[in-house]
Amino acid sequence: MKVDQHTALYGVIGNPVRHSLSPALHNAAFSVTDLNAVYLAFEAKDIEECIRGIKALGIKGISITIPFKTAVMPYLDEIDPLARRIGAVNTIVNHNGRLKGYNTDALGALKALEEKTKLPGMTCLIIGAGGAARAIGFMLKEKGVAVSIGNRSPKRGKELARSLECLYLPLDEIGVGKADILVQTTPVGMYPHIDQCLIPEHILEEGMVVMDIIYNPLETRLKKMAAERGCTTINGLRMFIHQGMEQFRLWTGLSAPLNLIQTVLEEELRTT
Ligand code: NAP
């Protein structure tokens, strides 16, 4: 990688952020497309100060992660309508000092699902009611999917179900209806608690599409169980790559080869 007086700066802002795979993804994409740019991780406390810094230093593009996806919104000059509807921004594009916010998590999940299934007319049970569930729920609803929400806390689950005008189920009742697609959006099962799983085995039926948005580990307990029961499975890395490639496209107008990026990230996960 060549770094000189023309190198453009991009990065991710979050807290914590040291576990993020985004630097590996975007630096691989810059390298393969031969762009003179670098992408760094910034662990931050105050998002308003970060926004001033982005403008002052002319940082070209930023990914936003936990806990700033909603908190950043009042400081931006413009927000894409989808991100506004979802209520969260995970991408900032700097257009000559004017910062515009987007949400690519929703599109990432959509593209990962569309690689394995058609969506209009399908039913989908989303487990979780946090930021990721919200983004995925809005996107699937727009694609004609009948969504329902299963969540631990009834308050948050019912709030999201109300926004999506759909059914809320407590976790101990998620088996009552049959869904074509199941999307797991909680951190349960993530490293180091890799033996945990919120989904009872019996609700996983042959032919279902099951996506666990956790990518560390790549093979979660849920994903293994679903594969054993004849479901079509999707791991969280595929969603992550698609959301990152959409960020890359918004920043540069270019696309990078997905399979090459996937290989880089799988290697990164194996070695960290
Ligand atoms: P969030 O806003 O904090 O929401 C977390 C959700 O998980 C809430 O619904 C919470 O339920 C539920 N939850 C947490 N711990 C639980 C437990 N022990 N038992 C039952 N439910 C539990 O987080 P988020 O932004 O949606 O992110 C969620 C996960 O998705 C994270 O692991 C993140 O790394 C991953 N993610 C992956 C991608 C990707 O591209 N693959 C993109 C975004 C996020 P309550 O409401 O009851 O607290």
Side-chain angles (χ1 to χ4, degrees), residues 81 88 100 112 131 148 156 196 200 240 260:
K100 181 166 178 182
S148 50
R156 214 166 169 197
Q196 295 182 355
F240 180 77
L260 184 140

Side-chain angles (χ1 to χ4, degrees), residues 128-132 151-153 156 185-188 190 198 213 236 239-240:
N151 195 53
R152 176 180 62 180
S153 105
R156 214 166 169 197
T185 74
T186 79
V188 178
M190 199 160 83
L198 286 175
I213 76 165
M239 168 177 166
F240 180 77

Side-chain angles (χ1 to χ4, degrees), residues 3-267:
V3 176
D4 62 17
Q5 65 276 38
H6 300 292
T7 302
L9 181 57
Y10 295 80
V12 54
I13 294 174
N15 196 342
V17 83
R18 297 295 162 210
H19 65 285
S20 172
L21 277 185
S22 291
L25 182 151
H26 289 293
N27 287 318
F30 288 139
S31 168
V32 75
T33 51
D34 219 9
L35 289 176
N36 185 358
V38 291
Y39 183 105
L40 303 176
F42 301 106
E43 195 153 286
K45 290 201 175 72
D46 184 331
I47 192 65
E48 187 180 2
E49 275 181 14
C50 291
I51 294 297
R52 279 203 294 273
I54 294 168
K55 288 193 174 186
L57 298 175
I59 295 175
K60 301 267 188 213
I62 282 286
S63 311
I64 297 289
T65 189
I66 289 172
F68 300 125
K69 286 185 184 183
T70 301
V72 73
M73 294 176 75
Y75 305 112
L76 301 177
D77 299 303
E78 193 180 347
I79 294 176
D80 177 68
L82 176 66
R84 173 75 68 199
R85 279 202 298 287
I86 293 168
V89 159
N90 78 331
T91 309
I92 298 175
V93 182
N94 186 344
H95 296 287
N96 300 318
R98 264 185 75 76
L99 303 188
K100 181 166 178 182
Y102 296 84
N103 187 308
T104 69
D105 282 334
L107 207 66
L110 179 71
K111 288 192 168 180
L113 284 166
E114 281 179 338
E115 285 176 343
K116 296 287 174 86
T117 180
K118 70 171 186 63
L119 291 172
M122 302 293 247
T123 54
C124 176
L125 171 62
I126 298 178
I127 306 297
R134 205 177 165 80
I136 294 169
F138 271 92
M139 185 51 108
L140 290 184
K141 197 176 169 212
E142 284 189 4
K143 293 290 161 186
V145 176
V147 172
S148 50
I149 300 292
N151 195 53
R152 176 180 62 180
S153 105
K155 184 171 179 291
R156 214 166 169 197
K158 283 180 184 169
E159 263 166 28
L160 179 56
R162 202 173 308 120
S163 314
L164 293 170
E165 297 170 317
C166 76
L167 182 68
Y168 160 73
L169 294 164
L171 286 183
D172 57 3
E173 289 177 26
I174 55 177
V176 296
K178 191 176 158 343
D180 304 308
I181 305 170
L182 184 142
V183 180
Q184 196 305 112
T185 74
T186 79
V188 178
M190 199 160 83
Y191 180 84
H193 306 292
I194 59 173
D195 289 330
Q196 295 182 355
C197 179
L198 286 175
I199 319 298
E201 195 165 356
H202 69 88
I203 76 164
L204 302 170
E205 291 185 9
E206 188 172 352
M208 259 174 107
V209 175
V210 175
M211 179 161 86
D212 193 338
I213 76 165
I214 290 173
Y215 54 72
N216 189 7
L218 285 175
E219 295 291 316
T220 57
R221 174 148 173 241
L222 170 63
K223 187 167 174 285
K224 283 186 207 152
M225 255 165 39
E228 279 162 16
R229 292 181 67 87
C231 305
T232 299
T233 59
I234 307 170
N235 68 30
L237 191 63
R238 207 60 194 165
M239 168 177 166
F240 180 77
I241 290 170
H242 278 298
Q243 69 75 31
M245 287 297 90
E246 180 59 15
Q247 294 184 320
F248 191 75
R249 195 190 61 72
L250 287 167
W251 294 331
T252 67
L254 300 175
S255 40
L258 281 186
N259 290 340
L260 184 140
I261 301 293
Q262 173 134 357
T263 307
V264 169
L265 295 187
E266 282 173 357
E267 181 58 22

